[in-house]
Amino acid sequence: MKQHRNSIVTLGITSLVLIFSVLCMVILALLTLESSRSDLNMSKRSMEQTEAYYDACTTAADLCSQAEDFLRCTLRQSASEKDYLKTAENLCSRGFFWEENRRILAIDVPFSDSQSLRVELYVLYPQDTEEPLLEIHTWQTISTGNWNPDTRQHVYQSIPE
């Protein structure tokens, strides 16, 4: 009778260990699935953001090329540097901003709801029509959204003296 009782206890402990190990493997599998799902979503968002940035870069490069073509045509028709720079103001109708005192053409190309690509081009006055007319001064991503800090929770409170 004693031997029969030991085999039942051994069988019960073995069953409990097996159930516990299967339960642990199922929990680890679910955690792995959730982790891989969140990694996939983050990768998709990152890819979409990167595509939007490069689309904005392409648009900005096209606009810069159009501006240079326009300036090249006006360079041939201009009598002086002052006339040439005066016609650079006409690029404002194409979305550029003209800063006359710095000789900068600037444009913002938005690529998300809170970011834009800022391109600033320095306008040159070359002696030869084959020389470059624009020089890249700034090509950067800027934040256009408003930052609203969370001030509901007081992290630091000074001790009254």
Side-chain angles (χ1 to χ4, degrees), residues 52-88:
Y53 172 76
Y54 283 117
D55 287 344
C57 284
T58 302
T59 303
D62 289 344
L63 289 170
C64 292
S65 176
Q66 291 173 9
E68 189 166 19
D69 291 344
F70 176 79
L71 289 174
R72 195 161 307 281
C73 288
T74 58
L75 178 65
R76 292 181 189 125
Q77 299 169 357
S78 301
S80 67
E81 182 177 0
K82 190 174 185 177
D83 291 339
Y84 168 71
L85 292 175
K86 201 69 154 157
T87 58

Short mmCIF file of all heavy atoms in Angstrom, two decimals, residues 52-88:
data_model
loop_
_atom_site.label_atom_id
_atom_site.label_comp_id
_atom_site.label_asym_id
_atom_site.label_seq_id
_atom_site.Cartn_x
_atom_site.Cartn_y
_atom_site.Cartn_z
N ALA A 52 8.22 60.48 -45.49
CA ALA A 52 7.71 61.86 -45.54
C ALA A 52 8.86 62.85 -45.56
O ALA A 52 8.83 63.84 -46.30
CB ALA A 52 6.80 62.13 -44.35
N TYR A 53 9.92 62.58 -44.78
CA TYR A 53 11.08 63.47 -44.77
C TYR A 53 11.76 63.50 -46.14
O TYR A 53 12.09 64.57 -46.66
CB TYR A 53 12.08 63.04 -43.69
CG TYR A 53 13.37 63.80 -43.75
CD1 TYR A 53 13.45 65.10 -43.27
CD2 TYR A 53 14.51 63.23 -44.31
CE1 TYR A 53 14.64 65.82 -43.34
CE2 TYR A 53 15.70 63.94 -44.38
CZ TYR A 53 15.76 65.23 -43.90
OH TYR A 53 16.93 65.93 -43.98
N TYR A 54 11.97 62.34 -46.73
CA TYR A 54 12.65 62.31 -48.02
C TYR A 54 11.77 62.87 -49.14
O TYR A 54 12.28 63.45 -50.10
CB TYR A 54 13.14 60.90 -48.35
CG TYR A 54 14.39 60.56 -47.58
CD1 TYR A 54 14.41 59.54 -46.65
CD2 TYR A 54 15.56 61.29 -47.76
CE1 TYR A 54 15.55 59.25 -45.92
CE2 TYR A 54 16.70 61.01 -47.05
CZ TYR A 54 16.71 59.99 -46.13
OH TYR A 54 17.83 59.71 -45.41
N ASP A 55 10.46 62.74 -49.01
CA ASP A 55 9.57 63.40 -49.97
C ASP A 55 9.70 64.92 -49.85
O ASP A 55 9.72 65.64 -50.86
CB ASP A 55 8.12 62.98 -49.75
CG ASP A 55 7.84 61.56 -50.20
OD1 ASP A 55 8.66 61.00 -50.95
OD2 ASP A 55 6.80 61.00 -49.79
N ALA A 56 9.80 65.41 -48.61
CA ALA A 56 9.98 66.84 -48.40
C ALA A 56 11.34 67.30 -48.95
O ALA A 56 11.44 68.39 -49.53
CB ALA A 56 9.88 67.18 -46.91
N CYS A 57 12.37 66.47 -48.80
CA CYS A 57 13.69 66.80 -49.36
C CYS A 57 13.63 66.89 -50.88
O CYS A 57 14.23 67.78 -51.49
CB CYS A 57 14.73 65.77 -48.93
SG CYS A 57 15.27 65.94 -47.23
N THR A 58 12.91 65.97 -51.50
CA THR A 58 12.76 65.98 -52.96
C THR A 58 12.02 67.23 -53.40
O THR A 58 12.42 67.89 -54.38
CB THR A 58 12.01 64.72 -53.42
OG1 THR A 58 12.73 63.57 -53.00
CG2 THR A 58 11.83 64.70 -54.93
N THR A 59 10.94 67.57 -52.69
CA THR A 59 10.19 68.78 -53.02
C THR A 59 11.06 70.02 -52.87
O THR A 59 11.06 70.90 -53.73
CB THR A 59 8.95 68.89 -52.11
OG1 THR A 59 8.15 67.73 -52.27
CG2 THR A 59 8.14 70.12 -52.43
N ALA A 60 11.82 70.09 -51.79
CA ALA A 60 12.70 71.24 -51.56
C ALA A 60 13.78 71.32 -52.64
O ALA A 60 14.09 72.42 -53.12
CB ALA A 60 13.33 71.14 -50.17
N ALA A 61 14.34 70.20 -53.03
CA ALA A 61 15.36 70.20 -54.08
C ALA A 61 14.77 70.68 -55.41
O ALA A 61 15.42 71.44 -56.16
CB ALA A 61 15.98 68.82 -54.23
N ASP A 62 13.54 70.25 -55.72
CA ASP A 62 12.88 70.71 -56.94
C ASP A 62 12.64 72.22 -56.90
O ASP A 62 12.86 72.93 -57.89
CB ASP A 62 11.55 69.98 -57.15
CG ASP A 62 11.74 68.52 -57.53
OD1 ASP A 62 12.85 68.14 -57.93
OD2 ASP A 62 10.76 67.75 -57.40
N LEU A 63 12.20 72.72 -55.74
CA LEU A 63 11.96 74.16 -55.61
C LEU A 63 13.26 74.95 -55.72
O LEU A 63 13.29 76.03 -56.33
CB LEU A 63 11.27 74.46 -54.28
CG LEU A 63 9.81 74.00 -54.18
CD1 LEU A 63 9.31 74.12 -52.74
CD2 LEU A 63 8.93 74.80 -55.12
N CYS A 64 14.34 74.42 -55.18
CA CYS A 64 15.64 75.08 -55.29
C CYS A 64 16.10 75.12 -56.74
O CYS A 64 16.65 76.12 -57.20
CB CYS A 64 16.68 74.36 -54.43
SG CYS A 64 16.40 74.52 -52.66
N SER A 65 15.87 74.04 -57.45
CA SER A 65 16.24 73.98 -58.86
C SER A 65 15.43 75.00 -59.68
O SER A 65 15.98 75.68 -60.55
CB SER A 65 16.02 72.57 -59.40
OG SER A 65 16.28 72.51 -60.76
N GLN A 66 14.14 75.10 -59.38
CA GLN A 66 13.30 76.08 -60.06
C GLN A 66 13.76 77.51 -59.75
O GLN A 66 13.78 78.37 -60.64
CB GLN A 66 11.84 75.91 -59.67
CG GLN A 66 11.21 74.64 -60.18
CD GLN A 66 9.81 74.43 -59.61
OE1 GLN A 66 9.25 75.30 -58.96
NE2 GLN A 66 9.25 73.25 -59.84
N ALA A 67 14.12 77.75 -58.50
CA ALA A 67 14.60 79.09 -58.11
C ALA A 67 15.89 79.42 -58.84
O ALA A 67 16.08 80.55 -59.31
CB ALA A 67 14.80 79.15 -56.60
N GLU A 68 16.78 78.45 -58.96
CA GLU A 68 18.05 78.70 -59.65
C GLU A 68 17.80 78.95 -61.14
O GLU A 68 18.44 79.83 -61.74
CB GLU A 68 19.00 77.53 -59.47
CG GLU A 68 20.38 77.83 -59.99
CD GLU A 68 21.43 76.85 -59.52
OE1 GLU A 68 21.08 75.74 -59.09
OE2 GLU A 68 22.61 77.21 -59.61
N ASP A 69 16.88 78.20 -61.74
CA ASP A 69 16.55 78.45 -63.16
C ASP A 69 15.99 79.86 -63.35
O ASP A 69 16.35 80.56 -64.30
CB ASP A 69 15.54 77.42 -63.66
CG ASP A 69 16.12 76.03 -63.76
OD1 ASP A 69 17.37 75.89 -63.75
OD2 ASP A 69 15.34 75.05 -63.83
N PHE A 70 15.11 80.26 -62.43
CA PHE A 70 14.53 81.61 -62.51
C PHE A 70 15.62 82.67 -62.36
O PHE A 70 15.66 83.64 -63.12
CB PHE A 70 13.46 81.77 -61.42
CG PHE A 70 12.87 83.14 -61.37
CD1 PHE A 70 11.90 83.54 -62.28
CD2 PHE A 70 13.29 84.06 -60.40
CE1 PHE A 70 11.35 84.81 -62.23
CE2 PHE A 70 12.75 85.33 -60.35
CZ PHE A 70 11.78 85.70 -61.26
N LEU A 71 16.52 82.48 -61.39
CA LEU A 71 17.59 83.45 -61.18
C LEU A 71 18.56 83.48 -62.35
O LEU A 71 19.10 84.54 -62.69
CB LEU A 71 18.33 83.15 -59.87
CG LEU A 71 17.55 83.44 -58.60
CD1 LEU A 71 18.33 82.96 -57.38
CD2 LEU A 71 17.23 84.91 -58.48
N ARG A 72 18.80 82.35 -62.99
CA ARG A 72 19.69 82.31 -64.14
C ARG A 72 19.11 83.13 -65.29
O ARG A 72 19.83 83.85 -65.99
CB ARG A 72 19.95 80.86 -64.57
CG ARG A 72 21.14 80.76 -65.51
CD ARG A 72 21.70 79.38 -65.61
NE ARG A 72 22.07 78.71 -64.39
CZ ARG A 72 23.19 78.91 -63.71
NH1 ARG A 72 24.05 79.82 -64.13
NH2 ARG A 72 23.46 78.24 -62.61
N CYS A 73 17.81 83.02 -65.49
CA CYS A 73 17.16 83.81 -66.54
C CYS A 73 17.22 85.31 -66.22
O CYS A 73 17.48 86.13 -67.11
CB CYS A 73 15.70 83.39 -66.69
SG CYS A 73 15.48 81.79 -67.46
N THR A 74 16.99 85.65 -64.95
CA THR A 74 17.02 87.07 -64.59
C THR A 74 18.44 87.63 -64.58
O THR A 74 18.63 88.82 -64.80
CB THR A 74 16.37 87.31 -63.21
OG1 THR A 74 17.05 86.53 -62.23
CG2 THR A 74 14.91 86.95 -63.24
N LEU A 75 19.44 86.77 -64.35
CA LEU A 75 20.82 87.22 -64.37
C LEU A 75 21.21 87.71 -65.77
O LEU A 75 21.88 88.73 -65.92
CB LEU A 75 21.76 86.10 -63.92
CG LEU A 75 23.25 86.40 -63.94
CD1 LEU A 75 23.57 87.50 -62.92
CD2 LEU A 75 24.06 85.16 -63.64
N ARG A 76 20.74 87.01 -66.77
CA ARG A 76 21.04 87.40 -68.16
C ARG A 76 20.38 88.72 -68.53
O ARG A 76 20.89 89.47 -69.35
CB ARG A 76 20.59 86.30 -69.12
CG ARG A 76 21.39 85.03 -68.99
CD ARG A 76 20.93 83.96 -69.98
NE ARG A 76 21.57 82.71 -69.67
CZ ARG A 76 20.94 81.57 -69.44
NH1 ARG A 76 19.63 81.52 -69.53
NH2 ARG A 76 21.60 80.47 -69.17
N GLN A 77 19.22 88.99 -67.93
CA GLN A 77 18.46 90.20 -68.27
C GLN A 77 18.80 91.38 -67.38
O GLN A 77 18.45 92.51 -67.70
CB GLN A 77 16.96 89.91 -68.17
CG GLN A 77 16.51 88.83 -69.12
CD GLN A 77 15.09 88.37 -68.81
OE1 GLN A 77 14.48 88.82 -67.86
NE2 GLN A 77 14.57 87.48 -69.64
N SER A 78 19.46 91.14 -66.26
CA SER A 78 19.75 92.22 -65.30
C SER A 78 20.96 93.03 -65.74
O SER A 78 21.94 92.49 -66.23
CB SER A 78 20.03 91.65 -63.91
OG SER A 78 18.93 90.92 -63.46
N ALA A 79 20.86 94.31 -65.49
CA ALA A 79 21.96 95.20 -65.83
C ALA A 79 22.96 95.32 -64.68
O ALA A 79 24.15 95.53 -64.91
CB ALA A 79 21.42 96.58 -66.17
N SER A 80 22.48 95.17 -63.46
CA SER A 80 23.37 95.31 -62.30
C SER A 80 22.99 94.29 -61.22
O SER A 80 21.97 93.62 -61.30
CB SER A 80 23.27 96.73 -61.72
OG SER A 80 21.99 96.92 -61.16
N GLU A 81 23.84 94.24 -60.22
CA GLU A 81 23.59 93.32 -59.09
C GLU A 81 22.34 93.72 -58.33
O GLU A 81 21.57 92.88 -57.88
CB GLU A 81 24.80 93.30 -58.16
CG GLU A 81 24.65 92.35 -56.99
CD GLU A 81 25.88 92.30 -56.11
OE1 GLU A 81 26.88 93.00 -56.39
OE2 GLU A 81 25.84 91.55 -55.12
N LYS A 82 22.10 95.02 -58.23
CA LYS A 82 20.92 95.51 -57.52
C LYS A 82 19.63 95.08 -58.23
O LYS A 82 18.68 94.64 -57.59
CB LYS A 82 21.00 97.04 -57.41
CG LYS A 82 19.97 97.63 -56.50
CD LYS A 82 20.22 99.12 -56.33
CE LYS A 82 19.24 99.67 -55.33
NZ LYS A 82 19.46 101.07 -55.05
N ASP A 83 19.63 95.19 -59.55
CA ASP A 83 18.46 94.74 -60.33
C ASP A 83 18.26 93.23 -60.18
O ASP A 83 17.13 92.76 -60.06
CB ASP A 83 18.62 95.09 -61.82
CG ASP A 83 18.56 96.58 -62.07
OD1 ASP A 83 18.02 97.31 -61.22
OD2 ASP A 83 19.09 97.00 -63.12
N TYR A 84 19.35 92.52 -60.21
CA TYR A 84 19.30 91.06 -60.08
C TYR A 84 18.70 90.65 -58.73
O TYR A 84 17.83 89.79 -58.65
CB TYR A 84 20.71 90.50 -60.25
CG TYR A 84 20.88 89.04 -59.87
CD1 TYR A 84 20.33 88.04 -60.64
CD2 TYR A 84 21.60 88.69 -58.73
CE1 TYR A 84 20.49 86.71 -60.29
CE2 TYR A 84 21.77 87.37 -58.38
CZ TYR A 84 21.21 86.38 -59.16
OH TYR A 84 21.36 85.07 -58.81
N LEU A 85 19.17 91.30 -57.66
CA LEU A 85 18.65 90.97 -56.33
C LEU A 85 17.21 91.42 -56.16
O LEU A 85 16.45 90.82 -55.40
CB LEU A 85 19.55 91.58 -55.25
CG LEU A 85 20.95 90.98 -55.15
CD1 LEU A 85 21.78 91.73 -54.13
CD2 LEU A 85 20.88 89.51 -54.81
N LYS A 86 16.82 92.47 -56.85
CA LYS A 86 15.44 92.94 -56.79
C LYS A 86 14.49 91.91 -57.39
O LYS A 86 13.38 91.71 -56.91
CB LYS A 86 15.33 94.27 -57.54
CG LYS A 86 14.17 95.10 -57.16
CD LYS A 86 14.35 95.60 -55.77
CE LYS A 86 13.59 96.88 -55.57
NZ LYS A 86 13.31 97.08 -54.16
N THR A 87 14.93 91.22 -58.45
CA THR A 87 14.08 90.21 -59.07
C THR A 87 13.99 88.94 -58.22
O THR A 87 13.08 88.14 -58.41
CB THR A 87 14.60 89.82 -60.47
OG1 THR A 87 15.93 89.34 -60.35
CG2 THR A 87 14.53 90.99 -61.42
N ALA A 88 14.93 88.76 -57.29
CA ALA A 88 14.84 87.60 -56.39
C ALA A 88 13.60 87.68 -55.52
O ALA A 88 13.08 86.65 -55.06
CB ALA A 88 16.09 87.51 -55.53
#
